[in-house]
Amino acid sequence: MSSKIRLVLSAFVAFVFYFSWTYWANSLVTNDLAVILRSALVQGTLSGSVTILFTFALERAVNRFGQHSVSLVFVVPILCSVYAKTRQNIAIFKTFSHALNQSAAVMHSTRIPGTLLAPLIPIAMQGSLALGANLINQTPNLWLTILPSIIFSAIYGYVYTFTLLNKREILDSVR
């Protein structure tokens, strides 16, 4: 199956699922069919559209961060270098530098893989869009409407990320 067909099929499934979910979730709190249908159309359309954008952003993030690791120990030297102009600040910088070099040697294996960070950008985008659109729409049962969308997007994001990286490893091993 081509990536375009897979993407359109995913968007269609997202629309149908979230339309149905939102219809049910909001029928629990109101009997106004117009409000229920409007909320279901908003969330279904948003979920279908965001699935396309989410997948595009995820592929970009995986290409950018997927094979890298991020160590959080680099922050202090950057901050110290800004202030390393006087003799006292140079001594502080050298002390921090020595301490960080020692801790980096010990903590080398505790880096955070980029694979774990790559889906966070699309997940944050999707969550913000879902929250904003449903706030504007005045969806009656807001959190029950959008929370499954955010949770399943996160699961989808990580599964898709690992799938992309596995395909890339297979292609690299063939070459």
Side-chain angles (χ1 to χ4, degrees):
M1 178 183 315
S2 77
S3 63
K4 288 181 184 178
I5 292 173
R6 190 173 56 243
L7 186 61
V8 170
L9 184 60
S10 296
F12 178 73
V13 168
F15 173 84
V16 170
F17 177 79
Y18 286 110
F19 178 91
S20 303
W21 175 265
T22 303
Y23 186 92
W24 174 79
N26 289 290
S27 67
L28 295 175
V29 295
T30 184
N31 291 328
D32 188 350
L33 189 58
V35 169
I36 294 171
L37 284 174
R38 187 182 72 223
S39 296
L41 279 172
V42 165
Q43 185 62 31
T45 303
L46 177 71
S47 294
S49 303
V50 166
T51 297
I52 293 170
L53 294 172
F54 183 88
T55 304
F56 176 76
L58 187 59
E59 287 186 9
R60 298 289 301 237
V62 167
N63 287 337
R64 176 86 170 116
F65 303 115
Q67 299 294 334
H68 302 287
S69 293
V70 178
S71 177
L72 302 178
V73 214
F74 65 87
V75 174
V76 174
I78 291 171
L79 293 175
C80 289
S81 68
V82 173
Y83 300 103
K85 294 193 168 70
T86 66
R87 184 178 295 232
Q88 181 182 14
N89 288 342
I90 291 173
I92 292 170
F93 176 74
K94 285 182 180 180
T95 303
F96 272 122
S97 180
H98 177 70
L100 288 173
N101 286 337
Q102 293 296 324
S103 63
V106 172
M107 298 173 61
H108 178 69
S109 63
T110 61
R111 295 178 296 173
I112 302 169
T115 306
L116 297 178
L117 299 175
L120 294 179
I121 295 168
I123 291 168
M125 288 172 30
Q126 186 273 341
S128 299
L129 287 171
L131 181 63
N134 283 286
L135 281 172
I136 290 169
N137 184 52
Q138 299 176 348
T139 300
N141 206 347
L142 178 68
W143 291 109
L144 188 58
T145 297
I146 67 169
L147 200 56
S149 171
I150 295 168
I151 291 169
F152 288 125
S153 292
I155 293 168
Y156 171 77
Y158 281 103
V159 168
Y160 196 80
T161 297
F162 288 116
T163 302
L164 285 175
L165 291 173
N166 284 340
K167 282 183 183 179
R168 188 176 293 153
E169 286 177 13
I170 291 169
L171 288 175
D172 289 344
S173 68
V174 172
R175 291 180 190 165

